[in-house]
């Protein structure tokens, strides 16, 4: 097999060494356009997991690297003159040039043909003359662009400028420092990579970079200016550069990683922001997986498919974490006024990979200090602290999210709803929300949806609220009012979600006469008179909700239903006073909110659920979401329930753990209104992390409560918490401890004698 490797960075070199080591008969050639001692950056951080893989795959490389590592455990966060240190993290780093030297030597020892100062031949030519082409040619990959239609790359530029520098002393921790300059916020990321050297990355928003004049400075002037900004952290010492230039980070994703006999590796296939130290790590892990798959599978095509199948989920997970970290630093100014320790906790948990529980294992004293600053009583996890909305105090921060059950007849909640909501109220959540309760018969999504458009329905709901208040005292129950708009008259979810009814359809209305998707019914655009009628329907439902005994009312302005349809520019094409600019698109939802608020008891809170992005080009943006939240808050909304999407059928959501939380976080800090975060929050550790970091005030969970109606009480038991934030109903108190699991938890018999 003839193998061509394009690019002599760590990933390409390590792939070449492994491919040659696993089969010495292979002819492996590496083309690198730079000299052997030419490199960018200074230090490289590798995880213990990656080092373990290197040790297993090639002990010689591991032994050579181990001699040069510097290790440390602490992270320092310095903000407004105060330094907070968190320990127990464990890092290993070495100089990038040292890493390259080790890999150069290993390739030389194995007989790899290294061609420095030699631009690679065109990828098409190499593909014609070699059995395998490994494209490790970086973020600006010529190979990726050559077959762009096959690889389907997507490159996203971001909002900060950064520069790689170094200093000639070793920091004693991974250091994050925030400088608030006259031009804006500047941040420093620094870590040691040798006994006498550290990498220093200086980063700032593009507008700060320009305002400070960095766009007009050369390399030396930029380096000196950065040293002055962080003179105290650098102990008055200078910074040095090596062909360092300000750049904007670009996230690269590719739909496919191989094409014929050509395969992408490292930054050519994907990038992840430097703030989680993952670029070299991912490239080295790619090389390990590629070499292993080529060894384990009988032919090249099967091996390349296996390589992609193995690595893509790992990389996607890392990229989600890196994107969260990147955006946290982009929006750093939002958090400057947080209490110092909480700010540090927020920074440490920014990627969602380090969590409250994980950080407590690493440094319990630090986490306990953050909890005290937050106001947690001793032994109380953040999720079990109370939260007040107007006249309602929730005993904990857990919300059972609204979930459509499609189990009503003629809009009437029955025994199923009593058992469903009652069970979750008994399960310990601070607030239990109904499904979307429709304000009219025509406003239902399906024939199985509940309503509040008759007195009989209100009485049926009173049966539910009285059960909750009587049998689960301390648990609040809220109602979500909505109208389906253009997404109505469809089948039950399990019969075909969003599919029109085969018969018995009712007419639909919406902001504009646009069907939800091809094959959906086209709604009638609402006239002024119809808008008045609809507002009255919401008002009447609000009165019935109050009489039914609900503690909180939420107005559903999300997910493409009627009020959401007014907010999004993709679904509102009106030319009257209710369409056009965001202010005008907000007009009718705000009119409805005001009308319902006027009849809803003053002491009871009222919230709004919004879709903070449509996940579609030209739709509601994160900036719009902040303005929407501000508008509702100005009209008296006590909190904003921040969801996303489901507005247009052609959406492309970026799913992942807690993937909607950044929108709630931004609204909370920019609009200054309490928020409810929702979306793939599945563990009590996530809830504690989000609450303590200040990214949300309440967490709404849906599927976890379908899996376990007693999710909140079990979360308390698993954390060893018993207190006012999680009260077991008396009949269930005997179940507040995890049951024994059989003989596995009994002492083992002695089968040997001690010497």
């Amino acid at each position: 097999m003839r193998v061509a490797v394009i690019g002599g960075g760590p990933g390409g070199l390590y792939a070449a060494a492994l491919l040659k080591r696993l089969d010495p008969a292979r002819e492996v050639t590496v083309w690198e356009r730079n000299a052997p001692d030419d490199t960018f950056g200074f230090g490289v951080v590798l995880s213990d997991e990656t080092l373990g893989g290197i040790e297993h795959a090639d002990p010689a490389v591991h032994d050579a690297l181990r001699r040069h590592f510097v290790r440390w455990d602490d992270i320092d966060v310095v903000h407004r003159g105060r330094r907070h240190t968190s320990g127990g993290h464990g890092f290993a780093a070495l100089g990038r040039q040292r890493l390259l030297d080790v890999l150069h030597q290993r390739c030389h020892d194995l007989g790899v043909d290294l061609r420095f100062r030699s631009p690679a031949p065109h990828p098409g030519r190499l593909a014609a003359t070699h059995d395998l082409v490994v494209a490790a040619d970086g973020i600006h990959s010529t190979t990726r662009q050559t077959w762009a239609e096959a690889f389907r790359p997507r490159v996203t530029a971001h909002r900060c400028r950064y520069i790689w520098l170094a200093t000639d002393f070793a920091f004693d921790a991974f250091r994050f420092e925030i400088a608030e300059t006259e031009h804006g916020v500047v941040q420093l990321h620094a870590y040691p990579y040798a006994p006498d050297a550290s990498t220093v990355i200086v980063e700032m928003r593009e507008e700060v970079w320009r305002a400070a004049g960095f766009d007009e400075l050369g390399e030396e002037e930029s380096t000196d200016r950065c040293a002055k900004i962080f003179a105290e952290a650098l102990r008055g010492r200078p910074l040095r550069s090596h062909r360092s230039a300000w750049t904007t980070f670009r996230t690269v994703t590719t739909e496919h990683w191989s094409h014929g006999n050509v395969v992408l590796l490292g930054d050519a296939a994907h990038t992840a922001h430097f703030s989680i130290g993952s670029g070299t790590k991912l490239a080295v892990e790619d090389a390990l997986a590629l070499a292993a798959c080529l060894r384990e599978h009988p032919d090249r095509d099967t091996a390349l498919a296996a390589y992609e199948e193995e690595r893509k989920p790992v990389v996607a997970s890392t990229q989600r974490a890196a994107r969260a970290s990147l955006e946290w630093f982009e929006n750093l100014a939002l958090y400057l006024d947080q209490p110092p320790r909480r700010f540090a906790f927020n920074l440490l948990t920014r990627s969602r990979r380090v969590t409250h529980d994980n950080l407590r294992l690493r440094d319990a004293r630090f986490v306990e200090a953050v909890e005290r600053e937050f106001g947690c009583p001793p032994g109380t996890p953040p999720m079990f602290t109370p939260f007040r909305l107007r006249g309602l105090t929730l005993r904990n921060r857990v919300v059972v999210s609204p979930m459509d059950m499609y189990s009503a007849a003629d809009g009437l909640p029955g025994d199923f709803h009593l058992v469903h909501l009652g069970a979750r109220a008994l399960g310990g959540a601070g607030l239990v929300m109904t499904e979307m309760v429709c304000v009219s018969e025509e406003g239902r999504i399906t024939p199985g949806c509940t309503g509040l458009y008759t007195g009989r329905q209100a009485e049926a709901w009173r049966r539910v609220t009285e059960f909750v208040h009587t049998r689960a005292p301390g648990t609040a129950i809220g109602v979500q009012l909505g109208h389906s708009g253009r997404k109505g008259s469809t089948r039950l979810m399990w019969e075909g979600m969003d599919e029109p009814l085969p018969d018995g359809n009712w007419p639909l209305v919406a902001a504009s006469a646009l069907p939800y998707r091809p094959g959906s019914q086209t709604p009638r655009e609402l006239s002024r008179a119809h808008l008045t009628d609809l507002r009255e329907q919401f008002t009447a439902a609000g009165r019935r909700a109050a009489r039914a005994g609900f503690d909180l009312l939420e107005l559903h302005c999300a997910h493409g239903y009627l009020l959401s349809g007014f907010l999004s520019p993709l679904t509102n094409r009106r030319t009257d006073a209710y369409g056009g600019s965001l202010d005008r698109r907000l007009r009718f939802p705000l009119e409805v909110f005001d009308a319902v608020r006027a009849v809803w008891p003053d002491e009871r809170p009222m919230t709004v659920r919004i879709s903070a992005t449509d996940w579609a080009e030209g739709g509601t943006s994160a900036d719009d979401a902040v303005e929407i939240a501000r508008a509702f808050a100005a009209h008296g909304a006590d909190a904003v329930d921040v969801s996303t999407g489901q507005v247009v059928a052609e959406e492309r959501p970026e799913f992942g753990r807690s993937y909607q939380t950044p929108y709630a976080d931004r609204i909370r800090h920019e609009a200054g209104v309490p928020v409810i975060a929702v979306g793939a929050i599945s563990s009590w550790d996530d809830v504690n992390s989000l609450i303590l970091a200040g990214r949300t005030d309440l967490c709404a969970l849906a599927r976890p409560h379908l899996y376990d109606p007693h999710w909140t009480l079990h979360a308390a038991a698993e954390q060893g918490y018993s207190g006012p934030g999680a009260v077991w109903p008396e009949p269930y108190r005997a179940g507040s401890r995890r049951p024994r699991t059989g003989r596995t938890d009994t002492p083992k018999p002695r089968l040997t004698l001690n010497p």
Side-chain angles (χ1 to χ4, degrees):
M1 177 181 275
R2 299 186 72 213
V3 180
V5 180
I6 307 174
L13 290 170
Y14 193 48
L18 287 175
L19 291 170
K20 187 69 172 176
R21 177 175 181 268
L22 293 175
D23 186 353
R26 288 176 176 143
E27 178 186 315
V28 182
T29 306
V30 178
W31 278 270
E32 171 52 53
R33 63 185 178 182
N34 294 318
D37 57 354
D38 257 353
T39 185
F40 68 91
F42 298 94
V44 173
V45 179
L46 294 175
S47 68
D48 288 341
E49 181 182 45
T50 304
L51 292 173
I54 293 173
E55 182 178 21
H56 179 76
D58 193 339
V61 170
H62 181 267
D63 290 344
L65 294 176
R66 187 174 57 183
R67 292 193 291 270
H68 302 293
F69 274 125
V70 294
R71 293 182 177 273
W72 71 99
D73 292 320
D74 290 348
I75 297 176
D76 286 345
V77 179
V78 183
H79 173 43
R80 292 184 174 171
R82 298 184 64 180
R83 180 175 71 175
H84 291 287
T85 300
S86 171
H89 297 277
F91 296 98
L94 78 166
R96 181 179 172 88
Q97 188 59 56
R98 184 75 69 183
L99 172 61
L100 293 175
D101 290 344
V102 167
L103 294 174
H104 292 160
Q105 186 61 51
R106 186 58 173 155
C107 286
H108 176 77
D109 293 344
L110 291 167
V112 174
D113 182 4
L114 297 178
R115 301 186 182 183
F116 295 107
R117 302 185 183 88
S118 299
H122 188 273
R125 182 177 159 197
L126 289 176
T129 56
H130 289 74
D131 300 294
L132 178 68
V133 177
V134 179
D137 47 350
I139 188 171
H140 302 295
S141 172
T142 300
T143 310
R144 188 181 67 230
Q145 290 307 115
T146 298
W147 290 290
E149 290 187 3
F151 293 122
R152 303 287 297 273
R154 183 180 177 188
V155 181
T156 305
H158 300 286
R159 303 166 73 176
C160 284
R161 291 271 184 167
Y162 68 96
I163 188 170
W164 289 84
L165 303 166
T167 189
D168 294 324
F169 73 92
F171 282 99
D172 54 8
F174 205 130
R175 187 181 183 101
F176 294 100
E177 181 152 343
I178 314 305
E180 296 176 68
T181 74
E182 61 182 310
H183 305 292
V185 180
V186 182
Q187 57 255 26
L188 172 143
H189 313 240
Y191 58 88
Y193 67 86
D196 59 352
S198 298
T199 293
V200 174
I201 305 168
V202 177
E203 182 185 25
M204 66 196 79
R205 290 276 289 250
E206 172 87 16
E207 59 268 28
V208 177
W209 180 75
R210 292 189 181 280
F214 280 107
D215 57 329
E216 299 177 354
L217 301 182
E219 180 180 349
E220 184 176 346
E221 294 171 298
S222 283
T223 303
D224 291 343
R225 176 81 67 83
C226 289
K228 289 177 182 176
I229 293 173
F230 294 103
E232 185 174 344
L234 298 170
R235 307 169 195 173
R237 301 187 188 189
L239 288 167
R240 58 184 170 88
S241 62
H242 177 61
R243 294 188 301 171
S244 303
W246 291 99
T247 188
T248 301
F249 188 82
R250 289 171 170 79
T251 297
V252 174
T253 59
T254 47
E255 193 169 318
H256 302 289
W257 290 16
S258 64
H259 173 62
N261 64 339
V262 179
V263 61
L264 303 179
L265 184 148
D267 283 357
H270 49 73
T271 60
H273 193 247
F274 58 81
S275 61
I276 65 168
S278 58
T280 301
K281 173 185 183 294
L282 289 177
V284 168
E285 290 174 354
D286 283 355
L288 278 166
L290 177 61
C293 289
L294 286 166
R295 183 183 181 87
E296 294 164 358
H297 295 278
D299 61 84
R300 182 198 65 212
D301 291 347
T302 305
L304 296 186
Y307 159 70
E308 184 170 338
E309 183 178 4
E310 177 181 331
R311 288 298 294 159
K312 281 185 79 172
V314 177
V315 168
S317 176
T318 302
Q319 287 188 310
R320 285 193 295 270
R323 180 69 178 260
S325 178
L326 175 155
E327 291 177 348
W328 193 93
F329 282 109
E330 283 185 340
N331 296 309
L332 176 60
L334 294 178
Y335 312 114
L336 294 178
D337 292 330
Q338 282 190 313
R341 285 192 182 87
R342 199 175 190 193
F343 176 87
F345 180 88
N346 196 352
L347 186 151
L348 293 171
T349 59
R350 67 194 181 279
S351 72
R352 302 194 287 274
R353 287 199 158 182
V354 176
T355 63
H356 172 266
D357 201 46
N358 177 274
L359 192 54
R360 186 170 55 185
L361 289 173
R362 301 180 190 201
D363 191 341
R365 291 180 63 185
F366 173 78
V367 173
E368 288 167 3
V370 180
E371 289 175 342
R372 284 195 303 272
E373 188 176 75
F374 175 71
C376 295
T380 301
M383 66 185 291
F384 293 115
T385 56
F387 189 74
R388 187 175 181 84
L389 288 170
R390 202 170 284 237
L392 176 67
T393 298
L394 302 176
R395 66 182 176 192
N396 63 52
R397 308 298 185 100
V398 179
V399 178
V400 176
S401 196
M403 293 175 278
D404 287 320
M405 293 289 106
Y406 308 109
S407 298
D410 298 322
L412 198 69
D415 290 346
F416 178 88
H417 300 86
L418 174 66
V419 174
H420 166 67
L421 294 169
R424 278 133 194 98
L426 291 170
L431 172 65
V432 176
M433 293 296 300
T434 69
E435 61 194 84
M436 184 178 90
V437 177
C438 305
V439 298
S440 69
E441 186 175 15
E442 297 77 17
R444 292 174 300 161
I445 307 167
T446 75
C449 290
T450 58
L452 258 174
Y453 46 88
T454 71
R456 187 167 171 232
Q457 291 163 354
E459 285 304 310
W461 280 118
R462 173 171 283 282
R463 179 173 173 236
V464 176
T465 63
E466 286 181 347
F467 176 89
V468 172
H469 294 148
T470 302
R471 305 299 296 181
T475 297
I477 181 165
V479 61
Q480 185 187 69
L481 288 186
H483 186 294
S484 61
R486 68 177 188 156
K487 295 177 73 176
S489 191
T490 62
R491 305 182 191 195
L492 304 184
M493 181 179 66
W494 46 86
E495 294 175 352
M497 188 170 178
D498 296 322
E499 292 288 338
L501 291 169
D503 54 63
N505 286 279
W506 55 84
L508 304 181
V509 295
S512 298
L514 301 169
Y516 178 59
R517 65 184 191 185
S520 296
Q521 185 183 156
T522 299
R524 183 179 74 253
E525 181 173 310
L526 287 159
S527 67
R528 288 288 189 99
H530 287 131
L531 292 178
T532 300
D533 291 342
L534 269 168
R535 189 171 62 243
E536 289 305 312
Q537 289 173 4
F538 274 95
T539 304
R543 288 193 183 96
R544 294 188 186 100
R547 290 197 299 270
F550 287 104
D551 302 299
L552 175 148
L553 187 149
E554 179 166 281
L555 191 65
H556 201 339
C557 298
H559 300 168
Y561 298 122
L562 186 101
L563 298 179
S564 170
F566 276 86
L567 294 174
S568 171
L570 297 178
T571 52
N572 184 342
R573 305 289 177 81
R574 301 175 72 96
T575 57
D576 63 2
Y578 294 95
S581 67
L582 179 57
D583 285 346
R584 294 166 71 168
R585 298 198 307 273
L586 268 162
R587 184 176 175 183
F588 184 63
L590 289 174
E591 286 180 1
V592 172
F593 181 91
D594 290 343
V596 176
R597 180 69 266 185
V599 301
W600 184 244
D602 187 61
E603 73 279 3
R604 300 187 206 177
M606 188 168 163
T607 64
V608 179
R609 173 169 277 200
I610 67 170
S611 285
T613 176
D614 293 343
W615 299 114
E617 187 175 353
T620 298
S621 68
D623 291 341
D624 293 336
V626 172
E627 294 308 312
I628 291 168
R630 279 199 179 110
F632 278 111
H635 282 247
D638 298 291
V640 178
D641 187 354
V642 185
S643 187
T644 64
Q646 302 179 54
V647 175
V648 292
E650 61 271 22
E651 67 177 5
R652 296 186 63 183
E654 298 175 4
F655 291 118
R657 184 168 130 258
S658 307
Y659 71 105
Q660 296 176 154
T661 302
Y663 297 94
D665 186 0
R666 184 173 173 192
I667 286 170
R668 184 179 189 272
H669 285 91
E670 286 196 38
V673 59
V675 296
I676 306 169
V678 63
I681 303 169
S682 56
S683 73
W684 49 259
D685 193 19
D686 285 338
V687 176
N688 283 327
S689 302
L690 295 170
I691 297 296
L692 193 57
R695 297 181 192 129
T696 187
D697 299 285
L698 300 167
C699 287
L701 299 89
R703 288 181 176 87
H705 282 114
L706 294 180
Y707 180 76
D708 178 5
H710 291 79
W711 186 89
T712 307
L713 292 179
H714 291 156
E718 289 167 12
Q719 296 175 79
Y721 170 75
S722 60
V727 179
W728 285 77
E730 288 298 337
Y732 289 176
R733 190 171 296 279
S736 61
R737 294 182 180 178
R738 184 186 292 274
R740 291 180 179 270
T741 57
R743 297 188 61 179
T744 57
D745 57 0
T746 60
K748 301 295 186 292
R750 180 186 291 275
L751 300 178
T752 59
L753 293 173
N754 292 327

